[in-house]
Each structure stands twice: as structure tokens, then as C-alpha cells.
Amino acid sequence: MAREAILRGEAELAARDPAIAGLVRRAGPCTLGGRRHRTHFEALVRSVVFQQLAGKAATAIHGRLLALFDGDGLAPEAPLVQPEERLRGAGLSAAKVASLRDLAGKALDGTVPLQGLGRLTDGEVVARLSTVRGIGRWTAEMFLMFQLGRPDVWPVGDLGVRNGYAIAYELPTAPSERQLGPLGEPFRPYRSVAAWYCWQAVHLARGEVTPR
């Protein structure tokens, strides 16, 4: 259902917005809402690890973290049973170790209901995830978009979306968070799709995506 909504949104936005239509032609189909390859817990752990780190460094640390569990999978109990020094040895900061343990504890006590997250509204998901140390609105919004495939998320705090909007609509400067909010209204109920194409506008401008 998530993938169907994303594809429907892509078609509708392209039909009514020339800038989106151009990005669809050049960047290809929106990939949000595809089949998940991680559990909800694994996706949240990865988000915490990748915060404020360059991609290669974060990937290396994430790989070392997973290796601690000998291929048994990453369950909520895992960060609680590993000694802190082993988690730190994988490259995690003390703050990220504390975040992972807080996430694990809240998953186990039901504050973050991993099995039921998909049944909550977007606002409820953000509220639950934001109770976890080190997880804020932006991380929760990325979870909504990339893990749950929600079609109508508009992450105004994301610099890439703001820069991409400026590129796509030929603005002299990127809009602020406050300015970007109302600019997303024409994209409802498919703001996630518009945000994804804003990211693609940045990639295309950098030559990181092969134009179609």
C-alpha cells in the first residue's frame, strides 16, 4: 500500500507541476515505499549511528556494531547486554551508546511500540520516537519516509530539501524552515515525494545522478 501511494503521488505531482515532472524525467522513479530490508529497530539503530557522521565513517562504525552480534540480528536486548566498552570500541560515542540503550529500553517497555508503529499516525510516531534520547523530529521524519513509506512528510528542517527546492524552483537562496512549511502545501497529500525529488535536484546539480 505504501508503494502504491508513492507511485500515485509521483504521477499526480508530475502531472500538475512542471518542475517535478522534469525531475522525474531526469532522476527516475521515486524509490520511497519499497520493500524494507531492516526491522524497525535496526532502522532506528542505523539512524542513530549515522547522525552527524560522513557516510563512509558511519557505514564502517555501523558494520563494526553489527559484527558484535555475530550475525544473530539486532534485537532490542542487544545494546543492553553488550558492555559499554565493546560498543565504544566499535566507534560509537558515549552519547550514541546512551541513545541506543535508551532506545532499547523504550522498545522493551512499550514506549516505542516497534510492532505497532505502522498503525500510529505520523504525529504519534514522531511523538513516540522523540522520547528517545538522541532522536529528534528529523530522525523520526526520516523513519516515517524511508522505513514506513509514509507519503505526506515534509521535513522542513532538512537542509537538502531546502536547497533542492531552491534549485528546482530557481530561487536565489534556499528557503528557511519557516518559509518551506507553506511552500509544501501544494504537494499535499504527497509531500514525501516532493521532498525526495528535492533531494534529487541537489544530486543532479552535483552530477551525482545520471540525467535521463
Side-chain angles (χ1 to χ4, degrees), residues 44-203:
L44 289 168
V45 167
R46 186 179 187 277
S47 294
V48 170
V49 171
F50 272 67
Q51 285 172 356
Q52 301 176 325
L53 286 176
K56 288 184 178 179
T59 298
I61 293 170
H62 186 245
R64 290 196 295 268
L65 176 65
L66 296 182
L68 294 179
F69 305 103
D70 300 321
D72 293 332
L74 194 54
E77 297 84 357
L80 299 176
V81 300
Q82 285 287 342
E84 180 173 354
E85 56 269 23
R86 291 201 73 196
L87 297 174
R88 292 293 305 276
L92 294 173
S93 66
K96 288 188 178 182
V97 170
S99 293
L100 292 184
R101 288 186 163 175
D102 192 42
L103 170 63
K106 286 185 167 64
L108 291 170
D109 71 16
T111 302
V112 176
L114 294 175
Q115 299 303 317
L117 280 175
R119 296 189 291 272
L120 300 180
T121 66
D122 291 356
E124 289 169 339
V125 171
V126 170
R128 293 295 187 103
L129 293 183
S130 296
T131 66
V132 177
R133 175 174 177 166
I135 293 183
R137 184 172 190 86
W138 180 86
T139 300
E141 288 173 337
M142 295 304 103
F143 180 84
L144 284 168
M145 293 177 68
F146 289 96
Q147 183 70 8
L148 298 184
R150 296 291 174 86
D152 195 37
V153 180
W154 190 232
V156 297
D158 189 281
L159 184 59
V161 173
R162 288 165 24 216
N163 286 338
Y165 187 96
I167 293 168
Y169 294 94
E170 300 180 348
L171 302 180
T173 59
S176 66
E177 292 185 33
R178 180 175 294 183
Q179 291 168 334
L180 189 64
L183 292 174
E185 291 302 307
F187 304 129
R188 286 184 181 272
Y190 303 114
R191 291 178 296 172
S192 296
V193 176
W196 191 87
Y197 279 109
C198 286
W199 283 318
Q200 303 319 303
V202 173
H203 293 316

Side-chain angles (χ1 to χ4, degrees), residues 1-73:
M1 291 296 291
R3 185 62 185 153
E4 293 173 6
I6 295 297
L7 292 175
R8 186 165 56 249
E10 178 188 304
E12 288 192 18
L13 293 184
R16 68 188 194 220
D17 189 304
I20 297 293
L23 288 168
V24 171
R25 287 194 299 271
R26 297 174 68 201
C30 178
T31 59
L32 295 174
R35 185 175 180 179
R36 294 193 305 267
H37 298 288
R38 298 182 180 91
T39 66
H40 291 343
F41 186 73
E42 289 168 343
L44 289 168
V45 167
R46 186 179 187 277
S47 294
V48 170
V49 171
F50 272 67
Q51 285 172 356
Q52 301 176 325
L53 286 176
K56 288 184 178 179
T59 298
I61 293 170
H62 186 245
R64 290 196 295 268
L65 176 65
L66 296 182
L68 294 179
F69 305 103
D70 300 321
D72 293 332

